[in-house]
Amino acid sequence: MTTPATVRRTTLAASVGNTVETYDYAVYGFLATVLATVFFPAASPGTALLSSFAVFGSAFLARPAGALVFGPLADRLGRRPALVASLLLMAVASTLIGVLPTTAVVGIAAPILLVLLRFAQGLAAGGEFTTAIIYVAEFAPPHRRGALSSRVQVGSLAGFLLGAVVVLSLSTALSREQMLEWGWRVPFLLALPIGVIGLYLRSRFGETPEFLATRGRPTTAPSTRQWSRVFLLIGVSVLHIVGIYMVYTYVQSYLIQLRLSPATATAVIAFALLAGVFLVAAGGRAADRLGKPRALLVASVAVLVVTYPLFAVLATAPPLWLAVLCTLLLSAGPAFYSGAAPIAYVQLVPVRMRGSVVGLTYNIAVAVLGGSAVFICQALVELTGDRRSPAYLLLAAAAVSAIAALALARSREPEPAPIAELAAEAGS
């Protein structure tokens, strides 16, 4: 029998491990303007930043491949082995970025190696988030699955926040020249000790009751109804993916282009991330209390209402207090939404196929949307000269996910069977 203490410990292990992975993955985004100079020194500032964002996006292209590796591993051998393996790969790849020679030393080989290591990070990330939310949801009691699953997303935002704090501390303590010379390496090198902590936590716990109850049962081919749920999962994921990567990665560079210093821009994002941690948790609780479709729809509509006015204010390069306020409000809707979305992904797919189907579907969406979001936002500004133009991408994402939330309400998907029922089926 799964005890409340076991649920708490396994939720902590999954969430903290996700914090470690997200920290490793997000540090690159916070250092994008520095890395643009280090690895693309000959390009103009705008072109170098686009190149840096393109390398950032390369990791997203690897995520479906990672899902193809870690998803079946999670379904066949267990959720825990997949989580341990993905975390180990991420820690190694991030540490190697920290010792990478620069373009000034080895020429074109430097950005090529950077792309390869970002690709390895993408492989790891492709097995991390979805397996972690599955792991937590399959331990959680039915009435708390939304709240507990959202803690994995809380762990993700905590990873973003940790990365922001580390980068902010270095930007404050070091000069621009020191950051370019060696300071940018420190956040990546910290991946090794932080990764050891995550591996220790994950190695201590066993498999989920739902996985154990259904292990060994044959997997049937996806039906037409199941395929429709795959497309529904993609629709639900759009605002989750675009919103998180826009407001917590792109907006930092956006603020720098509005003449804020890198340290100040990172501090603004850190405040938004801190608020986002509480909003994600609120979204998970709302999914349990209001129901997943209603919680997702409320957040989508809120994003549709506030996004353009907030970007219109930010585009005027407002005073710092107003920039902070706009960034906080801009991040609120996506953060709340990302707390309610994870349990929707898990409960759309049967237990025996969750690792593969949820992992591959979500990571294809991330590869297409997350990897391109920051690039598209910057490209819109470069092409149009309109600083409000990034709003259009977030508005489109909110519209798609609002439609998906309405479709989810009509789908009437059944709640997962109780553990006792699954165990009885497995033994029959």
Side-chain angles (χ1 to χ4, degrees), residues 106-409:
V106 296
I108 191 64
I112 292 174
L113 290 170
L114 180 63
V115 169
L116 292 175
L117 290 172
R118 282 293 292 173
F119 194 85
Q121 284 187 317
L123 288 175
E128 168 58 27
F129 178 73
T130 53
T131 308
I133 61 173
I134 290 168
Y135 188 73
V136 171
E138 290 179 354
F139 266 110
H143 66 286
R144 297 194 65 206
R145 282 179 173 152
L148 293 177
S149 298
S150 73
R151 293 183 184 177
V152 177
Q153 183 65 58
V154 168
S156 293
L157 261 63
F160 275 107
L161 180 59
L162 179 60
V165 169
V166 170
V167 173
L168 175 61
S169 300
L170 287 168
S171 299
T172 302
L174 303 177
S175 66
R176 173 71 174 174
E177 291 71 24
Q178 289 173 319
M179 281 295 294
L180 291 171
E181 184 178 353
W182 59 268
W184 64 271
R185 298 182 183 276
V186 175
F188 294 108
L189 294 175
L190 287 175
L192 188 58
I194 294 175
V196 170
I197 295 171
L199 286 169
Y200 170 74
L201 289 172
R202 285 192 171 174
S203 66
R204 297 179 62 204
F205 299 106
E207 280 306 326
T208 72
E210 288 188 16
F211 173 80
L212 293 175
T214 59
R215 183 166 54 182
R217 296 179 63 187
T219 301
T220 58
S223 64
T224 302
R225 180 174 176 80
Q226 288 168 341
W227 277 113
S228 69
R229 290 187 177 185
V230 167
F231 289 111
L232 186 54
L233 195 160
I234 292 172
V236 170
S237 73
V238 172
L239 180 55
H240 180 184
I241 296 166
V242 173
I244 290 297
Y245 283 101
M246 270 195 66
V247 300
Y248 296 127
T249 300
Y250 173 72
V251 170
Q252 186 237 21
S253 296
Y254 182 85
L255 293 173
I256 292 173
Q257 294 174 73
L258 296 179
R259 301 297 184 266
L260 269 66
S261 70
T264 302
T266 305
V268 173
I269 298 301
F271 280 120
L273 284 164
L274 185 60
V277 166
F278 296 98
L279 288 164
V280 168
R285 290 194 297 270
D288 288 330
R289 296 174 184 175
L290 303 177
K292 298 180 292 294
R294 188 177 298 177
L296 296 171
L297 184 60
V298 166
S300 299
V301 171
V303 173
L304 285 169
V305 170
V306 305
T307 295
Y308 188 84
L310 290 173
F311 264 105
V313 174
L314 284 173
T316 65
L320 179 59
W321 70 267
L322 188 53
V324 172
L325 178 61
C326 288
T327 303
L328 288 172
L329 294 175
L330 189 65
S331 67
F336 185 91
Y337 186 96
S338 70
I343 191 59
Y345 306 150
V346 174
Q347 293 186 347
L348 280 168
V349 181
V351 176
R352 298 183 308 281
M353 305 167 61
R354 277 178 182 163
S356 301
V357 174
V358 176
L360 184 59
T361 303
Y362 178 80
N363 282 292
I364 287 175
V366 171
V368 174
L369 301 170
S372 62
V374 293
F375 185 88
I376 290 173
C377 288
Q378 185 62 26
L380 285 171
V381 173
E382 295 288 329
L383 290 172
T384 66
D386 184 357
R387 289 175 175 170
R388 299 167 296 181
S389 58
Y392 301 132
L393 180 60
L394 191 54
L395 288 171
V400 170
S401 288
I403 295 170
L406 292 172
L408 185 65

Side-chain angles (χ1 to χ4, degrees), residues 38-130:
V38 172
F39 288 96
F40 305 98
S44 66
T47 302
L49 187 56
L50 280 174
S51 299
S52 184
F53 280 145
V55 176
F56 180 80
S58 69
F60 290 87
L61 297 178
R63 290 185 66 142
L68 286 172
V69 173
F70 293 106
L73 177 64
D75 286 336
R76 293 171 187 170
L77 299 182
R79 315 317 193 192
R80 194 190 69 157
L83 288 171
V84 170
S86 67
L87 183 55
L88 181 61
L89 177 59
M90 179 67 80
V92 171
S94 299
T95 303
L96 290 176
I97 291 178
V99 297
L100 199 62
T102 66
T103 301
V105 176
V106 296
I108 191 64
I112 292 174
L113 290 170
L114 180 63
V115 169
L116 292 175
L117 290 172
R118 282 293 292 173
F119 194 85
Q121 284 187 317
L123 288 175
E128 168 58 27
F129 178 73
T130 53

